[in-house]
Amino acid sequence: MILALALALAAQANPEAEMVMDHKRREAEKSAPAPKLSVDSKVLKSDFVRPSAMQQKFDACLDAALDDPIAGAQRAEEWRMASGGYLARQCLGFAYAQQQRWLPAMTAFQQAADEADVAGDPVSAQLWVQAGNAALAGGNPENAQKYFDAALAHGLADGLEKGEVHLDRARALVAQDRLADARQDIDLALAQVPKDPLAWLLSATLARRMDNLALAQSHIAKALELASDDASVALEEGNIAVLTGADDKAKLAWERAVKLAPDSPAGTAAAHNLGQLAAQAVTSAPASK
C-alpha cells in the first residue's frame, strides 16, 4: 500500500482520477490491501519460495527508502551490486518513486520484472504494473501500455487485481488519445470490479469525451452510488450535467465538489467552472431597460 501512495501522487494533478487516493485508501483500511503498486503481503506472499534472509533484507531496504529515499536508493543500489537481484531493483524503484523520479523508477521496476520472470516468481506481474504506473506518472503512456500488456499476459485471476490493470491500461490508452481502445479496457475493468467507484468515474468521463452523454449519465450515477462524498465524482457529475443543458444540476454538483475538497484539484476545477457558469449567466441575461 505504501508504494501505491507514492506512485499515485502524480494522479493528484488529474481531478478525474483524484478519488483513487482518499476513497480507495478508506476502503483499503476496511478490507484487504489494494494490490495496485503495492509491496505488501498480497504481492509478496505466493507459492514461490523466497529465502527468509532475502525477504528480511528486502523489508529493511523498503523501510530505509521510506525513511530517507535518497539514502534508501543508495542502499538498494549497493544491494543490487551485491547480487540483490530483482528484490533490490524493486526496492530501488520504490526509492526513486518516493523522490518522484519516474524515469529511473520505471527502469528499475522494468528490470526487476524481467529478472523475476526469469526466476519464475509470480510477483513479476505486479512489477510490470509498478513499471507501468511509474511510466504513466512520468508522462510515458506508450511504455506504460506495454508494461500493462506484460502484466495481463501473466494470466491474472479474475477480480480486483485484473480489473485494476485493465483500468490502468485504459488510462494509458486515453493518454495516447486511443479512446475506442480505452473503452474496451474500461468495459473489461467494470466487469471485474463493479464496486470500484473509480472505474465508473473514469468510464463516465471517457463516455463524455466520446460524446456518449447517455452512457456518461448512467455511469456517473453508479459512481455517485459508490462514492457520493468524493469531490472528483461531484466534479464530473457537473461536467456531464452542463453538457446536457442541466445548468442548475451542474451548479449544485460543482458546489458540492468545492465543499467536499476546496483545495484539491477537483475542488479547484469545480470552483473555476462555477465562475464560468456565473459569468455566462450574466452575459446571457437580458439587458435592463
Side-chain angles (χ1 to χ4, degrees), residues 80-222:
R80 183 193 67 79
M81 294 180 69
S83 302
Y86 56 90
L87 292 181
R89 291 189 187 278
Q90 184 179 16
C91 182
L92 183 61
F94 173 69
Y96 285 141
Q98 288 288 92
Q99 302 171 59
Q100 298 188 46
R101 296 179 60 190
W102 303 118
L103 179 58
M106 177 192 76
T107 301
F109 287 134
Q110 176 259 310
Q111 292 172 342
D114 278 331
E115 289 189 18
D117 275 338
V118 172
D121 191 333
V123 77
S124 61
Q126 282 296 329
L127 290 170
W128 287 118
V129 174
Q130 291 171 353
N133 276 278
L136 266 182
N140 192 334
E142 293 83 4
N143 274 359
Q145 181 203 330
K146 289 193 302 182
Y147 298 148
F148 295 137
D149 287 346
L152 289 166
H154 282 73
L156 300 175
D158 288 341
L160 179 63
E161 185 176 4
K162 186 174 183 180
E164 293 210 343
V165 179
H166 278 296
L167 203 60
D168 285 334
R169 188 167 69 177
R171 291 167 51 222
L173 291 166
V174 167
Q176 298 174 66
D177 204 29
R178 294 172 55 185
L179 303 189
D181 292 334
R183 178 76 262 166
Q184 294 181 30
D185 263 309
I186 285 187
D187 288 342
L188 289 169
L190 290 174
Q192 295 289 331
V193 285
K195 294 185 178 180
D196 185 345
L198 176 63
W200 293 104
L201 171 62
L202 295 185
S203 180
T205 302
L206 180 60
R208 170 175 58 80
R209 290 186 59 180
M210 298 178 74
D211 297 322
N212 188 343
L213 294 182
L215 184 64
Q217 288 175 308
S218 172
H219 285 195
I220 199 61
K222 289 290 296 184

Side-chain angles (χ1 to χ4, degrees), residues 233-263:
V233 174
L235 170 65
E236 185 58 30
E237 180 191 10
N239 293 346
I240 294 167
V242 78
L243 290 176
T244 61
D247 288 5
D248 289 343
K249 182 177 180 180
K251 182 174 182 291
L252 290 173
W254 289 332
E255 287 175 343
R256 193 169 74 256
V258 173
K259 183 178 180 180
L260 285 166
D263 298 324

Side-chain angles (χ1 to χ4, degrees), residues 64-65 68-78 91-92 95-96 99 101:
D68 184 340
I70 295 176
Q74 181 177 352
R75 175 172 177 166
E77 180 63 21
E78 291 172 354
C91 182
L92 183 61
Y96 285 141
Q99 302 171 59
R101 296 179 60 190

